[in-house]
Amino acid sequence: MGTDNSPVPDVEGAVLAAREMTATGDTIVLIGEQSAIQVELKKHDVSGLALEVIHSPQTVTMHDKPSQVHRTKPESSMAQGLDLVKQGKADAFVSLGNTGAVLALATLGSLRRIPGVKRPAITTFLKVKDRMIIFCDLGANADARPEWLVQFGIMGSIYAESVLGYQTPTVGVLSNGEEEGKGNELVRAAAALMSEESRLKFIGNIEPKELIAGKADVVVADGFVGNIALKSMEALGDYLFGLMKSKVLESSSLLVKIGAVLMRPALREVYREVDPFEIGGAPLLGVNGVVITGHGRSNAKAVKNAIGQAKRAAQSGVIAKLQATFAGGEDA
Amino acid sequence: MGTDNSPVPDVEGAVLAAREMTATGDTIVLIGEQSAIQVELKKHDVSGLALEVIHSPQTVTMHDKPSQVHRTKPESSMAQGLDLVKQGKADAFVSLGNTGAVLALATLGSLRRIPGVKRPAITTFLKVKDRMIIFCDLGANADARPEWLVQFGIMGSIYAESVLGYQTPTVGVLSNGEEEGKGNELVRAAAALMSEESRLKFIGNIEPKELIAGKADVVVADGFVGNIALKSMEALGDYLFGLMKSKVLESSSLLVKIGAVLMRPALREVYREVDPFEIGGAPLLGVNGVVITGHGRSNAKAVKNAIGQAKRAAQSGVIAKLQATFAGGEDA
């Protein structure tokens, strides 16, 4: 029930995923308002697909306060989905809804943190020349401590290795300058800790242009800075695409309009390369189970890809590796 | 001597400015390596222009550490220019060089802070539909206190009123969500103070997309976050323009290439609207004199526009207004 247009892309994405995954023995469980889901399912050919529906009487919206959802909506589809993972009845949970609510429900209510992990992180993938960069935290922790950033780097590395298949992933910290000593107090302290951390291949400060250029495989920031950086990029991208469109539409020149039509294949390629739907979803790192969250704007392709990411994460055994890595660490 | 291609655009920009300003009685003083400046001046028709040259034996580069420049290069063109303002021999100083060095020299060495101002701020203008937004701090203070952000808002408002001619400018704080209560500790504390500050028309939290949309006339952030937000936007803009160019160049389709040529007028309009050279420079707020800094990438037009901004600021009496506003306040 999570996308802005739910349950339309949610159900279609699940059907698309089921067409690929039923053959490999996977079942996709749709949790939400049963009648609405059934209406959508009827639009597709679902014969032979391993799709189940679980009715949920409550839906978490973007307006729900994350910290209160476990009390105000105890029987939400989110809570039910996370419980399935906790009980071992599902291998992963995917949500395109309120990420803060998923995080709150997962950490406070059901899955909880992996023992030894001090704070979970919300991540995203950035696609750089067909390679994925893991970028976190996007807002789980608006204020962070240096050692949390170190753990984000370790968790990101393990995920990059286990799920994305990278060998010795490189890790950087987002900063306002690449030189050592740049950054605010938090970044300088975190960089000092990371450079001494044997479980990390730390390559230092990463500026936004280096983040986009893919200089590091994993880039960490506190949740406030990570969120602002990502939203600044999204905002400028939307602005530029919008401006370009409006300049063509407003143009009185027929040649400009013809030019825009002729250029369309190249523009489509540009868009394909920055297409956020290509990726679909990214993990909540540090919760004790595979949880993949994606953007509310997601279309069916994005939903399908988020489910694919969930499957790869579940199969990789990344949670067990994270548990082993942090076992014995302090918990606060 | 400040631009990346100095002194070529620096001198040409000064000549362009002098052509407009000599008639109104203004003199432009070029400070730097005299022989290099003379070589450039000979390329232009400078007859009748009020241009002076002051030789400086030292040039601050982007590699100089800001905090050490006053000791390592005491006779730099930057130091000399700021001294002219301090001594009342110049009404304003413009630099396209190392902003951190200008700031350090101005605050530590010569002009110092306006009494009552706790910290200066590095600003930039963002152009939104032919209107300027003042955005700061871009890095004067990587770590900030809530009351500094309040002062940035007040200084930005006074500058917007005095120099840009805005009536009752609106002020916002950059945050990861527009709802009250969003933000990190610093932002929440600053927002609480700003909403009680009678000298501000505070309109609350501003997300990056609202910053770009021009929702507030003045947007404040700590220097680390402001720097990351601006660099994230710059990086994505460069990336998208570069990607578009490369997709057209790589395309094997003649039609795409023809389309790109036909679309050029519209693309040029897009670029014109986001053209950083249009603005040229923005003030260091809080130092005791008019100091305008611009980007090292500046071309002659940008240099000319930065000088124009300096003239408008000097004529507006904004420094006197800032002095009157903060007089009697504590200094640390």
Side-chain angles (χ1 to χ4, degrees):
Chain A
M1 307 304 291
T3 71
D4 298 345
N5 301 311
S6 76
V8 182
D10 313 61
V11 171
E12 188 185 346
V15 171
L16 293 174
R19 284 194 188 134
E20 292 181 1
M21 295 184 189
T22 298
T24 51
D26 301 306
T27 300
I28 294 165
V29 183
L30 290 156
I31 311 167
E33 222 282 288
Q34 188 157 22
S35 57
I37 294 173
Q38 295 296 358
V39 168
E40 286 310 310
L41 281 174
K42 279 189 188 126
K43 295 180 186 170
H44 306 280
D45 177 9
V46 296
S47 56
L49 298 185
L51 281 165
E52 285 177 18
V53 179
I54 294 182
H55 178 66
S56 164
Q58 292 174 330
T59 300
V60 173
T61 72
M62 293 308 290
H63 303 291
D64 284 311
K65 282 213 165 182
S67 58
Q68 293 169 8
V69 163
H70 68 289
R71 272 181 284 115
T72 55
K73 295 186 175 172
E75 294 180 90
S76 67
S77 50
M78 261 181 205
Q80 288 183 308
L82 288 163
D83 273 344
L84 288 183
V85 178
K86 189 187 178 186
Q87 295 159 17
K89 294 180 184 164
D91 297 302
F93 176 63
V94 174
S95 171
L96 297 312
N98 187 328
T99 307
V102 179
L103 181 76
L105 287 173
T107 51
L108 301 173
S110 55
L111 295 172
R112 299 192 177 266
R113 278 179 276 151
I114 289 170
V117 170
K118 292 177 198 295
R119 289 293 184 282
I122 298 172
T123 66
T124 193
F125 293 133
L126 303 174
K127 198 173 61 170
V128 180
K129 297 176 198 110
D130 292 321
R131 192 175 165 91
M132 304 280 215
I133 304 300
I134 300 182
F135 181 40
C136 69
D137 171 28
L138 301 182
N141 317 277
D143 291 283
R145 295 192 190 155
E147 55 271 29
W148 303 354
L149 265 53
V150 179
Q151 285 199 340
F152 298 166
I154 296 172
M155 292 193 288
S157 293
I158 292 172
Y159 196 93
E161 253 175 26
S162 306
V163 186
L164 307 182
Y166 295 176
Q167 291 193 330
T168 333
T170 53
V171 178
V173 58
L174 188 67
S175 189
N176 57 343
E178 52 188 322
E179 307 87 351
E180 205 186 315
K182 279 273 188 176
N184 57 11
E185 275 177 32
L186 173 69
V187 164
R188 290 197 306 272
L193 289 177
M194 282 194 263
S195 62
E196 289 167 8
E197 171 60 62
S198 60
R199 288 170 290 183
L200 284 181
K201 189 174 177 195
F202 181 61
I203 60 167
N205 288 351
I206 297 288
E207 285 197 63
K209 68 180 170 200
E210 299 167 334
L211 169 66
I212 292 181
K215 193 174 169 187
D217 298 316
V218 179
V219 178
V220 301
D222 70 56
F224 184 76
V225 167
N227 193 286
I228 294 274
L230 186 71
K231 283 185 175 161
S232 295
M233 292 191 270
E234 285 177 348
L236 197 84
D238 286 348
Y239 176 73
L240 285 180
F241 278 117
L243 198 58
M244 202 145 57
K245 205 169 169 182
S246 74
K247 289 295 170 200
V248 170
L249 290 174
E250 285 165 16
S251 174
S252 55
S253 156
L254 184 63
L255 291 177
V256 163
K257 288 178 199 277
I258 293 171
V261 173
L262 295 179
M263 249 190 92
R264 208 177 281 166
L267 292 176
R268 208 175 282 139
E269 267 193 73
V270 169
Y271 190 76
R272 203 184 56 80
E273 245 174 71
V274 294
D275 178 7
F277 300 145
E278 190 62 35
I279 291 168
L284 290 189
L285 285 174
V287 299
N288 209 359
V290 175
V291 179
I292 302 291
T293 63
H295 209 290
R297 281 201 228 170
S298 291
N299 60 14
K301 181 173 87 173
V303 173
K304 185 196 97 168
N305 289 341
I307 296 170
Q309 183 67 229
K311 176 176 174 176
R312 284 191 296 279
Q315 283 183 326
S316 73
V318 64
I319 298 297
K321 283 173 205 161
L322 289 167
Q323 287 165 341
T325 300
F326 291 101
E330 280 173 44
D331 228 19
Chain B
M1 308 303 291
T3 71
D4 297 345
N5 300 310
S6 75
V8 182
D10 312 62
V11 171
E12 188 186 346
V15 170
L16 293 174
R19 285 195 187 133
E20 291 181 0
M21 295 184 188
T22 297
T24 51
D26 301 307
T27 299
I28 293 166
V29 184
L30 291 156
I31 311 168
E33 222 283 286
Q34 188 157 24
S35 57
I37 294 173
Q38 294 296 356
V39 167
E40 287 309 310
L41 281 173
K42 281 193 186 118
K43 296 181 185 168
H44 306 280
D45 177 8
V46 297
S47 56
L49 298 185
L51 281 165
E52 284 176 20
V53 178
I54 294 181
H55 178 66
S56 165
Q58 292 174 331
T59 300
V60 174
T61 72
M62 293 308 290
H63 304 290
D64 284 311
K65 279 213 167 181
S67 58
Q68 293 169 9
V69 162
H70 69 289
R71 274 181 283 114
T72 55
K73 296 187 175 170
E75 295 180 88
S76 67
S77 49
M78 259 181 206
Q80 289 184 308
L82 289 164
D83 273 343
L84 288 183
V85 178
K86 189 188 179 187
Q87 295 160 20
K89 293 179 184 166
D91 297 303
F93 176 64
V94 174
S95 171
L96 296 314
N98 188 326
T99 306
V102 179
L103 181 77
L105 287 172
T107 51
L108 300 173
S110 55
L111 295 172
R112 299 191 177 267
R113 277 179 274 151
I114 289 171
V117 170
K118 292 175 198 295
R119 288 294 184 283
I122 298 172
T123 66
T124 193
F125 294 134
L126 302 173
K127 199 172 61 171
V128 180
K129 297 176 198 114
D130 291 321
R131 193 176 164 90
M132 305 279 216
I133 305 301
I134 300 181
F135 181 40
C136 70
D137 171 28
L138 301 182
N141 316 278
D143 291 283
R145 294 192 192 155
E147 54 271 30
W148 303 353
L149 264 55
V150 178
Q151 286 199 340
F152 298 165
I154 296 172
M155 292 193 288
S157 293
I158 292 172
Y159 196 93
E161 251 174 27
S162 306
V163 186
L164 306 182
Y166 296 177
Q167 292 192 330
T168 331
T170 53
V171 178
V173 59
L174 188 67
S175 188
N176 57 344
E178 52 189 322
E179 308 87 353
E180 205 185 317
K182 278 272 187 177
N184 58 10
E185 275 177 32
L186 173 69
V187 164
R188 289 197 305 272
L193 289 177
M194 282 195 263
S195 62
E196 288 168 8
E197 170 60 62
S198 60
R199 287 169 292 181
L200 284 181
K201 189 172 175 194
F202 180 62
I203 60 167
N205 287 350
I206 297 286
E207 284 197 65
K209 68 180 172 201
E210 299 168 332
L211 169 66
I212 292 181
K215 192 174 169 188
D217 298 316
V218 179
V219 178
V220 301
D222 71 55
F224 183 77
V225 167
N227 193 287
I228 294 275
L230 186 69
K231 282 184 175 162
S232 295
M233 291 191 269
E234 285 177 348
L236 197 84
D238 286 349
Y239 176 73
L240 285 180
F241 278 116
L243 198 59
M244 203 146 55
K245 205 169 165 181
S246 75
K247 289 294 170 200
V248 170
L249 289 174
E250 285 165 16
S251 174
S252 55
S253 157
L254 184 62
L255 291 178
V256 163
K257 288 177 199 278
I258 293 171
V261 173
L262 295 179
M263 248 190 94
R264 209 177 279 166
L267 292 176
R268 209 176 281 138
E269 268 194 73
V270 169
Y271 190 75
R272 204 184 55 81
E273 246 175 72
V274 294
D275 178 7
F277 300 144
E278 190 63 36
I279 290 169
L284 290 189
L285 285 175
V287 299
N288 209 358
V290 175
V291 179
I292 302 291
T293 64
H295 209 289
R297 280 201 228 170
S298 291
N299 61 12
K301 181 174 88 174
V303 174
K304 187 196 96 167
N305 289 341
I307 297 171
Q309 183 66 230
K311 176 176 174 173
R312 283 192 295 280
Q315 283 184 326
S316 73
V318 66
I319 299 297
K321 283 173 204 160
L322 289 167
Q323 287 165 341
T325 300
F326 291 101
E330 280 172 45
D331 228 19

